[in-house]
């Protein structure tokens, strides 16, 4: 007749997903990994040179998620045949 106390964990606490839209791919990946997330990088062609190499969207975009879950970031790339802008002489 001993009493056994059982505590059931509901898993890891959810943490806030940082917004990384507008950051460089490297910075966004670093921020998300520091928070414990896995990062899935997708690429999307963009005609806007200011968005090349930058995160243009993410999923989930904010909110909360469990550490170890995956955050997808979409990084802008120059369209085929267009060179990224170089220094202006």
């Amino acid at each position: 007749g001993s009493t056994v106390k059982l505590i059931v964990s509901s898993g890891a606490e959810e943490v806030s997903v940082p917004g990384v839209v507008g950051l460089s791919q490297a910075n966004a990946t670093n921020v998300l990994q520091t928070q414990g997330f896995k990062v899935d990088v997708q690429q999307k062609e963009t005609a806007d040179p200011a968005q090349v190499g930058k995160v243009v969207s993410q999923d989930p975009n904010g909110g909360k998620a469990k550490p170890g879950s995956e955050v997808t970031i979409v990084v802008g790339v120059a369209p085929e045949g267009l060179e990224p802008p170089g220094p202006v002489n």
Side-chain angles (χ1 to χ4, degrees):
S2 298
T3 302
V4 176
K5 187 172 184 177
L6 184 64
I7 300 173
V8 179
S9 170
S10 60
E13 281 289 313
E14 291 191 336
V15 296
S16 294
V17 177
V20 295
V21 173
L23 297 181
S24 70
Q25 178 180 338
N27 282 348
T29 299
N30 185 43
V31 166
L32 291 167
Q33 287 177 340
T34 299
Q35 294 292 323
F37 296 106
K38 294 177 185 156
V39 181
D40 176 38
V41 179
Q42 305 286 322
Q43 294 185 331
K44 178 181 176 185
E45 287 188 358
T46 177
D48 182 354
Q51 290 187 332
V52 172
K54 303 270 193 231
V55 177
V56 295
S57 67
Q58 74 179 70
D59 181 38
N61 188 4
K64 291 188 175 264
K66 292 188 189 241
S69 57
E70 189 171 83
V71 176
T72 300
I73 61 174
V74 179
V75 178
V77 293
E80 289 289 318
L82 284 184
E83 292 296 314
V88 178
N89 292 334

